Amino acid sequence: MAKRVVILDYGSGNLRSAERAVARVGADVEVTDDLGKAARADGLVVPGVGAYAACMAGIEQLGAGPTIAERVRAGAPVLGICVGMQILFASGEEHGVVTKGLGLAPGEVTVLHAPVVPHMGWNTVTWPQDTVLGAGLPADTRFYFVHSYAPTVIDAQAHDARRQAGVRVATAVHGEPFVAAFETDVLRATQFHPEKSGDAGATLLANWLGTL
């Protein structure tokens, strides 16, 4: 029986492309703003594009924060994508304004320090040894990124906090190292777009589906 996956519609994200990509790997997918369905699904995808503050405003207007947090507490899988990953962190700073995030992963999202921003295009990812999302993917596999902000990995205090919280971090480099993806036992997220990353993205989504 196919696993039931909800793509959370809170007014932001590539909803239909994410729906098609998850359905491609064998899930029964529904795009909805129904928090009851989001709570009961085998897997929940939190997408997001654009500004951190706008995405958090959409989450708060829908009242989705407690639903996402309760799933994590209950051991029910959640996958964040792009800004949907960023809002899982403690906060995000854009143009000098700090917006509180969901606080499910330690650290702050800040602007990338790179010669060219946004970081747009294909890049490789260095996965942790015990990765689930990156399992079976060669080291030179490229994923598609579009972003100007990310949690960095050079902040020693944040790095230690993530490690103590059981957060396994995958990295990429654009001007500086940043968090390209992270994983806990139930909460997983990618800064890149698996739904725009061809066969590599399909493999990653299939890996996630296998955890449900």
Side-chain angles (χ1 to χ4, degrees):
M1 185 175 179
K3 297 296 185 180
R4 295 176 300 107
V5 173
V6 161
I7 312 287
L8 185 64
D9 182 2
Y10 63 96
S12 177
N14 296 319
L15 300 175
R16 298 306 167 186
S17 59
E19 179 185 23
R20 288 192 298 271
V22 178
R24 174 188 173 190
V25 296
D28 178 7
V29 189
E30 181 177 3
V31 176
T32 182
D33 62 0
D34 185 320
L35 295 180
K37 291 182 177 180
R40 295 188 300 271
D42 296 318
L44 175 65
V45 176
V46 181
V49 295
Y52 189 107
C55 286
M56 276 306 303
I59 289 286
E60 290 169 358
Q61 184 174 6
L62 184 60
T67 299
I68 298 169
E70 181 53 35
R71 281 188 63 93
V72 173
R73 283 193 293 269
V78 174
L79 176 68
I81 295 175
C82 196
V83 185
M85 179 192 94
Q86 294 180 4
I87 61 174
L88 299 173
F89 284 84
S91 64
E93 181 179 358
E94 294 176 333
H95 309 295
V97 177
V98 176
T99 301
K100 184 179 179 181
L102 296 177
L104 298 174
E108 181 184 47
V109 175
T110 57
V111 69
L112 283 170
H113 296 98
V116 177
V117 174
H119 173 214
M120 183 182 303
W122 298 86
N123 202 346
T124 56
V125 173
T126 300
W127 295 94
Q129 189 171 15
D130 51 355
T131 180
V132 171
L133 292 181
L137 292 166
D140 60 352
T141 299
R142 294 179 176 271
F143 296 90
Y144 190 77
F145 291 83
V146 183
H147 64 119
S148 299
Y149 301 85
T152 60
V153 295
I154 56 176
D155 185 323
Q157 184 175 2
H159 179 74
D160 288 344
R162 290 170 196 150
R163 185 171 56 192
Q164 291 168 12
V167 179
R168 305 181 296 279
V169 172
T171 61
V173 178
H174 182 71
E176 63 181 346
F178 64 90
V179 178
F182 75 85
E183 307 179 51
T184 70
D185 290 342
V186 295
L187 181 62
R188 295 179 168 90
T190 67
Q191 178 60 64
F192 53 84
H193 288 274
E195 78 280 9
K196 296 181 179 181
S197 297
D199 290 343
T203 297
L204 182 144
L205 291 172
N207 287 343
W208 179 68
L209 202 64
T211 70
L212 306 189

